[in-house]
Each structure stands twice: as C-alpha cells, then as structure tokens.
Amino acid sequence: MADFFNLKARQAAAAQASSSKAPSSKPESNRLQPWVEKYRPKTLSEVTAQDNTIQILSRTLQSANLPHMLFYGPPGTGKTSTILALAKQLYGPELIKSRVLELNASDERGISIVRAKVKDFARQQLSAAPTHTISVADEETGEVKQVRYRDKYPCPPFKIIVLDEADSMTQDAQSALRRTMETYSKMTRFCLVCNYVTRIIDPLASRCSKFRFKSLDQGNAVKRVEDIANLEGVKLDVGVSENLVRVAEGDLRKAITFLQSAARLVGAAQKEGGTDRKRKAGALGEDENDMDIDVTASSSSVSSVTQAHIAEIAGVIPEATLESLLSAIFPGSQPKIQYNKIAQVVEDMVAEGWSAAQTVGQLYESVLYDERVGDLQKVKITGLFSEVDKRLGDGGDEHLAVLDLGLRISEILCQS
C-alpha cells in the first residue's frame, strides 16, 4: 500500500516490467511471420536465379552511383526484394527510412499523388549520413569489430523512390512523373517495378535502365524451397518440392506460401488426431497426462508433406475428375457430340467448386499432349483455349466458358 502512493517506485516498477516484456515480443512476432517475409532476401547475394541483374547492381555498391531503373517480369521472381535489398546495402538500417520511399499498388497513385507525395519527397534535402561507429561481425572469423557507419554502408548522395506495380498507374500519372524524374534527377533516383513493361509509356521507359526478371528455373526454385523446408523442420516426400514449383508456375512466392500452408495442414491434422486420442483416453478413464503428446506446429516434422497435400492446397483437379471430362469430350464409337454428358460433367465440376482457370490449364496439357489428337486438330484447339482464356480474363461466366470449350473441342475431334 505504501508503494501505491510512492510515484517514483511505481514508475520504476512499470519500467522494469516493460523492459522484461520487450525481448520476448520480438521472437514471437518472428515465429508468427509469414515465410515469404521471413525468408525475403536481405542482400543482393541472396537473390536467386537473376545473375545478370545482380552482377550489374552489385557494381553500383562500389561506384555509389545509380541510374533510374525499370524492373519488369512475372510475379514472384524477386523484383521488389531486389530493390529493397539494394537499398538496405546502400543506406543501412538508420538511413533507409529517410532516404527510401516505397509506394505500392494499394496506395492511391493518381496524378495528385505524383504531384504531391512523390514530388515533395523528391525535392526534400538529403538527411545527413551517420558518422558514429557500429559493431560488425566478420563473416570468416565471426569476430566483432567496430567500424564507421559510412565504411559499412556507402550512403550515396541521393534518395530512391520505388513505385511498385507501376503498370497500374494512370497515363496522366506516368506523364506527370516524367517531368519530376528530370527535374530532381541530381538527388533522387526512381525505380519502377511492373509485370508488363508494355504498359509503361515510352518516355518513362527510355529514361530508365531496364532489368528483366525471368521466371525461376526448376533447379534454383526447388533448391530454395527445400532449404526453407529444412530450416523450418518440414519433411517432404519424394517429388513434392518439384511439384510445388510446377503448380506455382515459376512463382517462388506462391511456392513458399503453398509450402507453409501444407506444413500447417499436416500439423493441424496431427493436432486433431492428438485431441481425439485424449478424448478416448478420458472416456476410458485413463490419465490424460499419460496420453499427452507434442502437437505443436513443429509436429509437421513427424509426418511429411505429400503430393496429396499440395494438390489440395493448390486447387489441382483430381485425375479422376479430369478423366471424366476428357471421356465426355472425346467421341466414342460414333463421331458425334455428347452434349448431355459434357453438360453434366461440367455442371458437377462447377458444383464442386473447381476453378475454371485451373480446369482450362489442366485440360490444355491433357488434350495437347494426347496422341489421339492430330496436329491440325491441335492447332484449332489451341485457338479455342486462347479465346476462353481471354473471356475468363474479361470476367466471363466460368460455367458457360468451360461448357463452350468442351463442346467446341468435341466438335473438332468429331471432324475427321
């Protein structure tokens, strides 16, 4: 009670309690962090399968000079991770907040934002680089040394503005950005990140050095997935890592997300099994403490991730379902279209919730690699797939699109 009226004692106790809680919050947040963010490359050397781009950008760390840049390529190939890793190595943790501005597609980026937020950041004076010393561990010996901040990070005399998903910017915003890039080029560098370089107006593209990011090859992507699985203690069946990369279609971000979902799925299944065993033990009058087993998220190390888990998470259509659709499309003994059969199979697939895009993709691989289909028929069928893909992209009805595709493929196959 005496401490209640002692203000200094209460403040000291509160400070001690907050300091004791502070260290425990960081590992918890790191454990709950998505694996995509947890294993995002921190340096340029950690970026996978973009050798030419990384080699060129690594030289800028030595020269401390940088042009305007345009990163383009498929999603999940490391475009945003590369420019953020470059910024971290240029400015370090203390200077990156004041020297780097990142705007994503979630932000409003019309002409008003370019004229206000981007222009205001570009015209700001450069913040002073730190002059103090920091502790750095030697990579070979592990010995901790004291070095100057400027010796560790170049801190070049310019700022960086990263415009992620720049192809979603309006034409007016891109036109307004052109003049801003010219006016403030002495102390500001722009990096445009996009998936489709054709949607960037020519005046902007001509002012930037273009870097193309290609889809990750099978070897590098599989190695990265297996490394993450080993670090997280997740066991993979034979061929699971290759299947992960295949269903992700070269998107490493999607592959890592599928891997984390599969690991959680295995852990959840084991947790349910452990709960059932506990309930049975209680019903039989046994001591529940004797049946207590470790059913935490790390229990995925007990059971491995299988091909079935990946197929379930990725939404891959089962072979039996796809085979029923193919048998309905291919003509039988009499060369005629089986409308009722095709309509029934498609209706069942829609009722089960299978994606039309996934159906079209798997059907394409099955039909185009089928030896029963002639070369001329394959050419005509390929045109059908392109039409249906365009309709789905424009927001067409999935049920009608798949039904129309099946009927038109059957019509071509009936023609001798």
Side-chain angles (χ1 to χ4, degrees), residues 24-63:
S24 61
S25 60
K26 189 172 183 180
E28 180 70 14
S29 61
N30 187 42
R31 185 180 69 84
L32 299 177
Q33 196 176 20
W35 292 358
V36 173
E37 297 298 329
K38 185 177 180 181
Y39 296 102
R40 182 187 286 270
K42 303 296 189 298
T43 61
L44 290 177
S45 59
E46 295 180 8
V47 179
T48 306
Q50 310 295 343
D51 298 335
N52 294 334
T53 300
I54 300 306
Q55 183 179 4
I56 296 173
L57 293 179
S58 297
R59 295 175 182 173
T60 63
L61 293 174
Q62 303 171 358
S63 62

Side-chain angles (χ1 to χ4, degrees), residues 105-178:
S106 58
D107 304 308
E108 182 187 355
R109 291 181 308 176
I111 190 171
S112 59
I113 296 298
V114 173
R115 287 176 175 173
K117 192 170 185 178
V118 174
K119 197 170 183 178
D120 289 344
F121 184 82
R123 63 166 59 140
Q124 286 178 4
Q125 294 296 325
L126 294 174
S127 55
T131 56
H132 60 81
T133 59
I134 57 175
S135 300
V136 177
D138 189 272
E139 296 180 357
E140 297 180 356
T141 62
E143 182 182 355
V144 179
K145 299 180 180 179
Q146 295 291 327
V147 297
R148 292 179 57 203
Y149 192 92
R150 289 293 300 270
D151 294 337
K152 175 65 176 176
Y153 305 105
C155 302
F158 55 79
K159 303 183 294 292
I160 296 179
I161 297 179
V162 181
L163 297 176
D164 206 351
E165 307 295 339
D167 47 1
S168 64
M169 294 178 67
T170 62
Q171 295 286 325
D172 293 338
Q174 294 188 38
S175 300
L177 185 62
R178 173 181 58 184

Side-chain angles (χ1 to χ4, degrees), residues 9 19 24 31-32 64 66 77 96 121 132 141 161 180 195 202 205 209 267 315 330 356 364 372 394 413:
S19 61
S24 61
R31 185 180 69 84
L32 299 177
L66 201 68
T77 53
I96 189 170
F121 184 82
H132 60 81
T141 62
I161 297 179
T180 305
N195 294 331
D202 291 337
S209 295
F330 276 85
Y364 175 83
R372 295 173 293 175
D394 291 341
L413 294 176

Side-chain angles (χ1 to χ4, degrees), residues 169-214:
M169 294 178 67
T170 62
Q171 295 286 325
D172 293 338
Q174 294 188 38
S175 300
L177 185 62
R178 173 181 58 184
R179 183 60 181 167
T180 305
M181 292 175 66
E182 285 183 348
T183 306
Y184 303 102
S185 60
K186 287 186 178 180
M187 58 180 181
T188 306
R189 301 292 187 271
F190 285 81
C191 180
L192 309 181
V193 181
C194 65
N195 294 331
Y196 305 100
V197 68
T198 54
R199 297 181 185 175
I200 304 297
I201 61 176
D202 291 337
L204 276 187
S206 64
R207 287 171 169 79
C208 302
S209 295
K210 296 182 181 179
F211 295 92
R212 176 179 174 271
F213 284 71
K214 57 186 178 181

